[in-house]
Amino acid sequence: MAVLLPALFNLQPEFVGRDRAELISIGSVIDSYHRRYPKGVKLINRRPWRTLHVWGSGFMSSTGQPVWPQKLVFHAVRGPLSAEKLGQPGLATGDPALLLPRIWPKPATISNAVAIVPHFITNRHFRAKYASSLPRHWKIVDLLDDPKKITHAIAESDMVISNSLHGLIVADAYGVPSVRIEGDRRIKGDGFKYRDYEAFRGDSWHILNFEDVLAQPGNPTPADARQPDTDRLESLLASFPF
């Protein structure tokens, strides 16, 4: 959101604590307060006079609850499963990262490279284990790098291999075919966030083991990219609350 808000809405975000926030957006964060405080909101933290707007977020897990110190107002969620959990099936859906091509167009030249996008929490382990054995034209993308650099690396590639949901979403945004690989126990959640986005995109990934992909690097058949149509993106934009 640090790049989308200024570019799309001429707003400069200020990052604050949970109980002071006015907007939550990209990521599986609707239930993040509940995950941190599963017993509920502490009396000292309650802010029922404040409003927290939700735009394009989703749930991390199927058991997560939309519990926050503030009053929640939902404008859009990541996918239809999040909308169903909230009992609001008519909400606009879509991850705001799908809007990235509106600020950074797809590169005119494709690099013919394969972009591997490990979840940020597994990136160091992934590099240590695989970096020296990758095919020459495969590159590892670090999700803690500069957002524009990350986006360009994905957008210019021939194929994306990722266990990060946003690696897969950005691939869709730029029309790049993708392969989903298995995560590990360090990646939180029960898979709900993937199912939620898959319900939005209208297709699911077959989950592959990266060891198998590496053993036959010419073999993985990527899922076709599912770029959302203009109407869905305009609906997401129009639902922005500020």
Side-chain angles (χ1 to χ4, degrees):
M1 291 306 293
V3 296
L4 287 175
L5 287 181
L8 294 176
F9 306 108
N10 197 29
L11 293 173
Q12 189 61 47
E14 177 187 356
F15 297 97
V16 297
R18 287 178 173 85
D19 58 350
R20 291 183 54 213
E22 296 180 6
L23 173 71
I24 54 174
S25 187
I26 294 177
S28 303
V29 294
I30 294 176
D31 53 353
S32 65
Y33 194 95
H34 180 246
R35 294 197 306 273
R36 188 175 181 88
Y37 303 105
K39 294 183 179 180
V41 180
K42 296 178 180 179
L43 182 62
I44 195 171
N45 290 334
R46 290 180 183 171
R47 302 289 189 274
W49 59 90
R50 289 182 178 271
T51 298
L52 178 60
H53 299 273
V54 181
W55 184 65
S57 305
F59 288 89
M60 175 71 77
S61 72
S62 54
T63 58
Q65 297 297 318
V67 175
W68 284 76
Q70 309 91 316
K71 174 186 175 182
L72 291 170
V73 178
F74 295 92
H75 303 273
V77 288
R78 177 181 52 216
L81 301 189
S82 285
E84 288 172 12
K85 269 182 67 67
L86 294 167
Q88 299 186 46
L91 279 172
T93 55
D95 190 291
L98 292 167
L99 298 168
L100 283 171
R102 300 203 172 198
I103 63 172
W104 296 324
K106 186 176 177 70
T109 303
I110 303 303
S111 68
N112 298 317
V114 172
I116 308 169
V117 190
H119 191 282
F120 73 91
I121 212 164
T122 67
N123 180 66
R124 182 179 296 180
H125 171 77
F126 191 93
R127 283 181 181 273
K129 188 172 183 179
Y130 296 116
S132 62
S133 57
L134 296 177
R136 182 178 54 83
H137 64 295
W138 291 26
K139 58 188 178 185
I140 299 176
V141 178
D142 185 351
L143 287 178
L144 297 181
D145 212 333
D146 174 73
K148 189 172 185 178
K149 182 179 177 181
I150 296 166
T151 302
H152 187 271
I154 293 173
E156 70 167 359
S157 64
D158 263 351
M159 179 171 68
V160 166
I161 299 175
S162 181
N163 58 17
S164 161
L165 178 57
H166 272 99
L168 300 167
I169 289 173
V170 176
D172 272 356
Y174 286 93
V176 180
S178 57
V179 172
R180 181 182 164 193
I181 54 173
E182 292 177 342
D184 63 32
R185 58 183 175 79
R186 285 168 291 191
I187 300 176
K188 297 178 181 178
D190 58 5
F192 179 89
K193 63 180 182 179
Y194 296 97
R195 298 191 297 274
D196 189 28
Y197 178 69
E198 286 172 335
F200 168 82
R201 83 192 293 264
D203 195 14
S204 58
W205 292 275
H206 296 297
I207 307 173
L208 303 179
N209 181 286
F210 189 70
E211 299 280 355
D212 296 336
V213 172
L214 197 59
Q216 297 180 309
N219 209 24
T221 301
D224 291 336
R226 290 287 187 267
Q227 288 179 288
D229 60 37
T230 301
D231 288 345
R232 298 181 88 181
L233 294 179
E234 289 297 331
S235 175
L236 179 60
L237 272 171
S239 68
F240 187 70
F242 297 108

